[in-house]
Amino acid sequence: MGESFDIIIVGAGIVGAACAAACARGGLRVLVVDRGPVGGGTTAAGMGHLVVLDDSQAQFALTYYSRSLWHQLAGLLPADVEYNQCGTLWVASDEEEMAEVRRKEKLYAAAGVHAEVLDGLELEELEPNLRPGVAGGLRVPEDAVLYPPSAARFLLEQAQQQGAQVRTGVSVRSLLGEGGVVLADGSRVSAGRTVSATGPWAPELTPGLPVRKRKGHLVITERYPGFVNHQIVELGYLKSAHGAGKDSVAFNIQPRKNGQMLIGSSRQYEAEDTAVDQPILDRMLNRALEYLPSLGQLSAIRVWTGHRAATPDKLPLIGPSQESDRIWLATGHEGLGITTSLGTAGLLADLLLDRATAIPAAPYSPARFAKTSSVND
Ligand SMILES: Cc1cc2nc3c(=O)[nH]c(=O)nc-3n(C[C@H](O)[C@H](O)[C@H](O)COP(=O)(O)OP(=O)(O)OC[C@H]3O[C@@H](n4cnc5c(N)ncnc54)[C@H](O)[C@@H]3O)c2cc1C
């Protein structure tokens, strides 16, 4: 490998693939290296819900920007990406959660995000399998779902059409402060800058990075077209996703285009193995049954786990690392990396090419964590 590149991207998950496409489109000479196949890491384990979330202003800005980029790309996505603008239904169990529904609707409306407050009966009409008696909910019709590994492959093909090179089955041993990487066989490849898009494994290449593995379980069923028609999520999901507790579950179901139902989700720290954890799986499915009692009649065919890359403030790390301005980061996307891959790539390419960014980039800068940051902060 005697060549030199402007950018080496380590990681061919959806974030690395999106960054490669944006950098190659910007005229940079790009090499993407992954020790596994394209989209075979967390991207293969994720749910593929493209969603606007508002846990913080910065999260809202990045998810909204990213969703608008997905909308722009939607017409180009091949059928196997299974893009489906089915919308999100946030379900409120009681009046307290309805207050949150109204707060969200106001905030979204002010920012131009279309959302509709629904009462319990309207919800039942849209989703007859939901248990009767829920208080109501919020419908966000422009949210969507897709199949993440195919989306990663598509983005990488876009990069390749612009001249990017992709090498799979090649492990990176270390990132060089002067730019470039050392591969597992000891050879070096030089580049102006390196981007670590290595998801939950980022601390292996950048020790001390404030990224922790947060395990999640998903279950997929046989095909039951129309069992649900939206990505349905309990409002309590927000507490589960944003709480710092060790273990949590929340009801979340996605209708796949082929009729399969994808059911989530759980969150666990200090669970680095990939084994299915039966007690947490039971809790997760019991939670889903509370919202969809007839789910018990469906046949599940597979269960798997994956690890989200969690940062202390629930925002990704996008930009130059603390170690060197030639080592950049695009990681820490927790449970939103499918959604925010495109926004991450847009910001990263704009920063690398000295262009104005579409949204302020500072909230995602790795510089927000002092060098002494501990992963337990
Ligand atoms: C259960 C679950 C549900 C989720 N649901 C959603 C959802 O509905 N919506 C959403 O937006 N997000 C969701 N996510 C999050 C999303 O899946 C991730 O944020 C996203 O896939 C991260 O992509 P990535 O490219 O950063 O990482 P990855 O896909 O993990 O890619 C990193 C790549 O780096 C490679 N790599 C690592 N180290 C090296 C090395 N030393 N040398 C070479 N290659 C290396 C790996 O092989 C891997 O391919 C979910 C995640 C989980 C676990």
Side-chain angles (χ1 to χ4, degrees), residues 13-15 34-35 42-43 47 49 172 201 334-339:
I14 198 160
V15 172
D34 199 298
R35 61 188 173 194
T42 318
T43 297
M47 211 178 194
H49 184 202
V172 169
W201 299 282
E334 220 271 356
L336 283 171
I338 309 301
T339 304

Side-chain angles (χ1 to χ4, degrees), residues 170-174 182-187:
V170 176
S171 189
V172 169
R173 186 196 291 169
S174 60
V182 180
L183 301 179
D185 65 5
S187 62

Side-chain angles (χ1 to χ4, degrees), residues 10-17 33-51 170-173 197-202 204-205 214-218 231 237 252 254 265-266 304-309 330-340:
V10 187
I14 198 160
V15 172
V33 183
D34 199 298
R35 61 188 173 194
V38 172
T42 318
T43 297
M47 211 178 194
H49 184 202
L50 306 178
V51 57
V170 176
S171 189
V172 169
R173 186 196 291 169
T198 47
W201 299 282
E204 290 176 15
L205 293 175
R214 202 172 189 193
K215 186 173 179 176
H217 289 69
L218 292 178
Q231 176 104 17
Y237 171 91
N252 188 353
Q254 175 178 111
S265 64
S266 65
W304 67 89
T305 67
H307 285 96
R308 306 170 182 90
T331 180
H333 295 81
E334 220 271 356
L336 283 171
I338 309 301
T339 304
T340 56

Side-chain angles (χ1 to χ4, degrees), residues 105-372:
E105 193 273 334
K106 272 207 186 93
L107 186 133
Y108 284 23
V113 177
H114 180 200
E116 302 152 7
V117 177
L118 306 173
D119 63 25
L121 287 178
E122 288 169 321
L123 215 60
E124 270 177 57
E125 260 169 45
L126 285 176
E127 296 291 354
N129 282 314
L130 267 180
R131 77 156 189 261
V134 292
L138 188 74
R139 178 166 179 255
V140 187
E142 286 162 15
D143 284 349
V145 303
L146 52 66
Y147 182 56
S150 295
R153 202 216 58 243
F154 168 78
L155 290 166
L156 218 46
E157 281 170 6
Q158 284 212 318
Q160 286 171 299
Q161 281 160 18
Q162 303 282 338
Q165 293 188 32
V166 179
R167 293 175 195 165
T168 51
V170 176
S171 189
V172 169
R173 186 196 291 169
S174 60
L175 310 176
L176 294 167
E178 67 270 27
V181 296
V182 180
L183 301 179
D185 65 5
S187 62
R188 289 175 176 234
V189 189
S190 59
R193 290 195 177 88
T194 307
V195 178
S196 175
T198 47
W201 299 282
E204 290 176 15
L205 293 175
T206 310
L209 203 64
V211 168
R212 290 170 81 187
K213 287 186 178 166
R214 202 172 189 193
K215 186 173 179 176
H217 289 69
L218 292 178
V219 175
I220 197 154
T221 70
E222 303 248 27
R223 298 171 189 219
Y224 302 95
F227 182 75
V228 301
N229 306 302
H230 299 78
Q231 176 104 17
I232 311 179
V233 195
E234 66 164 298
L235 267 171
Y237 171 91
L238 299 170
K239 290 179 212 144
S240 163
H242 305 132
K246 195 167 154 269
D247 295 350
S248 63
V249 297
F251 162 59
N252 188 353
I253 188 166
Q254 175 178 111
R256 292 276 308 277
K257 253 193 165 170
N258 64 5
Q260 289 181 295
M261 297 293 135
L262 185 54
I263 306 158
S265 64
S266 65
R267 281 181 156 79
Q268 290 171 282
Y269 285 122
E270 293 159 36
E272 301 221 346
D273 64 293
T274 54
V276 170
D277 178 335
Q278 194 63 46
I280 196 111
L281 181 64
D282 290 347
R283 267 177 68 193
M284 186 180 103
L285 290 175
N286 284 333
R287 189 75 184 159
L289 280 167
E290 286 174 29
Y291 284 84
L292 289 170
S294 49
L295 194 64
Q297 292 158 23
L298 273 47
S299 168
I301 55 171
R302 200 158 70 86
V303 181
W304 67 89
T305 67
H307 285 96
R308 306 170 182 90
T311 62
D313 63 3
K314 322 283 186 291
L315 293 173
L317 298 158
I318 307 168
S321 68
Q322 302 280 301
E323 283 65 35
S324 159
D325 64 1
R326 288 174 176 268
I327 300 176
W328 284 46
L329 300 168
T331 180
H333 295 81
E334 220 271 356
L336 283 171
I338 309 301
T339 304
T340 56
S341 55
L342 294 189
T344 297
L347 289 176
L348 187 104
D350 287 341
L351 292 170
L352 284 166
L353 290 160
D354 267 331
R355 301 185 300 218
T357 54
I359 59 170
Y364 324 104
S365 168
R368 71 188 187 275
F369 294 111
K371 226 182 166 133
T372 50

